Structure formats: structure tokens, C-alpha cells
Amino acid sequence: MDKKYILSHYEHSIEWVKELEQLSEEQWRTPIKEGKWTIAEVIGHLIPWDEFIVNDRLPYFFKNTELPKGPDAQVLNDQAASESRIRSIEETIERFAATRQTLLTALHEMDDDLWSKELIIGHSTLSLAAYFQGMVEHDNHHFEQIKKVI
């Protein structure tokens, strides 16, 4: 996966999520599977992860400094899900689009040669492209879940 593909995915993800505004309140609050998150919670949990990447990953990549410790995923996800339960469809989607656009802009501005450079995150070494490939796969996993219920 290269920079162009990743940027395209992020651009399309904003458009795709904006189309979810047409869902009814009932659909928006429908679990993706019994006992699982609702569509609102799935989309809502993507927001703090994009914020984390923008604030606590991108500024530190390729600097000779240790990356800030990542958040406790369970705590972050639970908090995001909880907030999404009380936010309107419009507010959640607006926040998603704004945060995702900030991330997209930051990625556009990164030099092309950085995409193949290696990063060390914890005990893992991977390229920037591979890091974002994982993020794209995460999005696609959740988008497929949503597509199955709408």
C-alpha cells in the first residue's frame, strides 16, 4: 500500500461516513451484531484514534525521540463509545470528518520519501506505509461491519 492509496482511502472514508447521515436514528443506534457496538459507537471510536495519530504519533515519527505511550485501547474505546451514545448523528459525523480531514492534510504534507522509512513503535519496526496500512485495514473492518447492517 502506498501513500496515494492511503490518501485515497482517507478521502473516501470521509465521503462514505458522511453518507451515513441519511440513516434513521434507529439505524444509527443499531448494533453491528447482537451484543456489539452500534453504528454510532463504531464511527465515534474512530475519532479519538485519528486525534491520537495526529497529536501523539505524526509529530514524533522520524525524530530521535521516543514515541509517547499509546492510550489504553479499552479505556479510549469505552470512553468514545459512551460519548457517541449521547451525540447526534450530525455531531458524530461532523467530528469524524473534521478529525479525519486534519489527519489527511497532515499526511498530504509528508514527504513521499518518508513513506518507506522505518519506524520503531514499541518492539515493532515497520514502515510508515505499513503503519497506515494497518489503520486502513482497521477502518475497512468496521466499514464492512456497518455495511452488513444497513
Side-chain angles (χ1 to χ4, degrees):
M1 235 179 254
D2 62 359
K3 178 181 180 179
K4 194 184 211 174
Y5 177 86
I6 291 164
L7 294 177
S8 175
H9 165 80
Y10 280 138
E11 287 166 3
H12 288 100
S13 71
I14 294 168
E15 295 165 21
W16 190 81
V17 169
K18 282 183 175 181
E19 288 177 14
L20 297 177
E21 270 191 322
Q22 296 176 31
L23 295 178
S24 68
E25 186 69 23
E26 184 181 349
Q27 289 172 306
W28 181 246
R29 307 286 175 196
T30 297
I32 54 169
K33 263 191 175 162
E34 191 174 332
K36 298 285 188 184
W37 278 350
T38 64
I39 294 172
E41 292 165 317
V42 170
I43 298 301
H45 101 283
L46 298 173
I47 299 166
W49 285 110
D50 282 1
E51 290 171 340
F52 169 72
I53 292 168
V54 168
N55 298 322
D56 296 314
R57 285 294 178 253
L58 292 180
Y60 299 93
F61 286 158
F62 312 117
K63 305 264 190 289
N64 286 334
T65 181
E66 200 171 317
L67 292 173
K69 186 170 174 6
D72 179 311
Q74 190 65 51
V75 170
L76 185 77
N77 288 342
D78 288 348
Q79 177 66 34
S82 176
E83 289 173 13
S84 299
R85 285 191 282 275
I86 57 174
R87 274 198 208 116
S88 68
I89 295 173
E90 295 79 16
E91 185 182 359
T92 298
I93 291 175
E94 193 175 296
R95 287 177 64 132
F96 170 84
T99 306
R100 183 58 56 100
Q101 186 59 55
T102 301
L103 175 57
L104 182 57
T105 300
L107 294 178
H108 264 295
E109 293 170 356
M110 292 183 81
D111 289 337
D112 291 351
D113 63 326
L114 293 178
W115 287 79
S116 59
K117 277 189 132 180
E118 298 219 315
L119 308 167
I120 298 171
I121 302 177
H123 300 293
S124 302
T125 302
L126 68 166
S127 69
L128 184 67
Y131 177 81
F132 281 102
Q133 178 179 344
M135 297 297 105
V136 167
E137 289 169 1
H138 176 248
D139 276 358
N140 287 337
H141 165 73
H142 287 304
F143 295 166
E144 288 305 315
Q145 290 174 315
I146 291 169
K147 285 176 189 173
K148 287 179 181 169
V149 296
I150 58 174

